[in-house]
Amino acid sequence: MIRIAVANQKGGVGKTTTAINLATALAATGWRTLIIDLDPQGNASTGLGIKQSQREYSSYELLRGDATLAECAIPTAVPRLDIVPATVDLSGAEIELIEFQDRLHRMQQALADAEAGQWDICLIDCPPSLGMLTLNALIAAESLIVPLQCEFFALEGLSQLLTTVERVRERFNQKLSILGVALTMFDRRNRLTDQVSDDVREVLGPVVFETVIPRNVRLSEAPSHGLPALIYDHRCAGSAAYIALARELIDRLPNVRKAA
């Protein structure tokens, strides 16, 4: 199972929207896809229409070892897309995990214990911080997608994230690599947007995806209906961009287990 963390310690950059819609696009092209909602806000769960009553087991129980990955994962309305939902209990996990000696490797162990062949790919939606939950995801993952809002302050946060990734690679997970940086909330009417985009591409080069995700009302509306934008309105500009981004993502993935 290919494991990808979707992370940025800055909030409001389109991280969960990116995770949901990329997962939907992958599932639509034949990938057996799993999302792990590792954000205590549970936005990925809500955005996929998972009600609180359906969250008997969550990523909280998964991290604590109180339930297996198979027990926590539940199907969504999207064929071939499952999710490990999040609950508010996860907000206390960072404190509770301190008592575990392997506290930074809990997610890695949970994924290692998963039944082989059940899913082709797993996206881990991280909280907007660089705390223990995000570190668990980075240590468990093989690669990282970084949604980056096209605004000046986002660049400052990116440097901090890259430093953290390098430290994780050196100390815990030598296989961790940055699969791509996805530019989000792109507004061609704003000259600063173009400037930020150019600066990021100049510094990071080909690691930045060619596809940019525009500011789009339909992307914002979709979660309130419990649907990915690709299903809520597959013809809107935001959905078209995420379909293109998914194509780029698939081209960057290992050749193993690629869907037809």
Side-chain angles (χ1 to χ4, degrees):
M1 180 171 63
I2 299 170
R3 304 182 302 276
I4 303 172
V6 182
N8 190 327
Q9 80 275 17
K10 188 178 185 300
V13 299
K15 175 180 56 60
T16 297
T17 300
T18 297
I20 288 174
N21 286 289
L22 281 179
T24 300
L26 289 168
T29 55
W31 293 73
R32 293 168 298 175
T33 308
L34 175 69
I35 287 185
I36 297 179
D37 190 349
L38 208 56
D39 188 342
Q41 298 178 79
N43 290 337
S45 307
T46 303
L48 285 169
I50 306 301
K51 299 178 181 178
Q52 290 294 332
S53 59
Q54 297 176 269
R55 307 180 196 185
E56 180 180 0
Y57 294 117
S58 68
S59 51
Y60 171 75
E61 283 79 17
L62 183 66
L63 284 173
R64 286 188 53 86
D66 296 333
T68 66
L69 187 63
E71 289 173 328
C72 294
I74 57 177
T76 70
V78 180
R80 291 181 297 275
L81 176 58
D82 297 334
I83 186 171
V84 174
T87 64
V88 69
D89 292 336
L90 194 60
S91 60
E94 301 222 12
I95 297 176
E96 294 180 30
L97 288 176
I98 292 175
E99 64 189 51
F100 293 93
Q101 287 189 341
D102 59 345
R103 53 187 172 273
L104 294 178
H105 299 268
R106 304 295 292 180
M107 181 59 67
Q108 182 183 46
Q109 187 60 50
L111 294 180
D113 292 341
E115 181 180 345
Q118 189 167 3
W119 296 285
D120 300 320
I121 190 167
C122 171
L123 301 182
I124 308 174
D125 184 34
C126 300
S129 70
L130 292 178
M132 199 175 297
L133 295 177
T134 298
L135 288 175
N136 258 274
L138 294 179
I139 292 170
E142 299 164 327
S143 54
L144 171 68
I145 292 176
V146 183
L148 183 69
Q149 185 179 4
C150 293
E151 292 187 359
F152 174 74
F153 288 122
L155 293 176
E156 294 184 336
L158 178 62
S159 63
Q160 184 180 356
L161 177 63
L162 295 179
T163 299
T164 299
V165 169
E166 187 58 36
R167 289 175 178 171
V168 169
R169 184 184 294 123
E170 291 175 355
R171 297 184 58 185
F172 303 109
N173 183 4
Q174 295 180 354
K175 296 181 179 180
L176 181 64
S177 63
I178 297 178
L179 190 58
V181 173
L183 298 176
T184 63
M185 303 182 183
F186 191 87
D187 187 350
R188 296 191 182 278
R189 299 169 298 178
N190 188 335
R191 292 181 60 184
L192 178 61
T193 295
D194 286 317
Q195 182 180 339
V196 170
S197 175
D198 292 342
D199 289 346
V200 173
R201 293 186 188 281
E202 182 178 351
V203 173
L204 298 179
V207 75
V208 183
F209 289 110
E210 287 297 323
T211 303
V212 296
I213 309 301
R215 284 191 179 276
N216 184 252
V217 174
R218 304 301 258 178
L219 288 179
S220 302
E221 291 176 350
S224 66
H225 296 270
L227 293 171
L230 269 65
I231 294 178
Y232 178 66
D233 184 353
H234 69 277
R235 294 173 295 182
C236 73
S239 292
Y242 274 117
I243 291 171
L245 183 62
R247 292 195 188 102
E248 279 195 75
L249 171 62
I250 291 172
D251 287 340
R252 297 188 184 194
L253 292 175
N255 288 324
V256 294
R257 304 196 67 81
K258 279 195 175 181

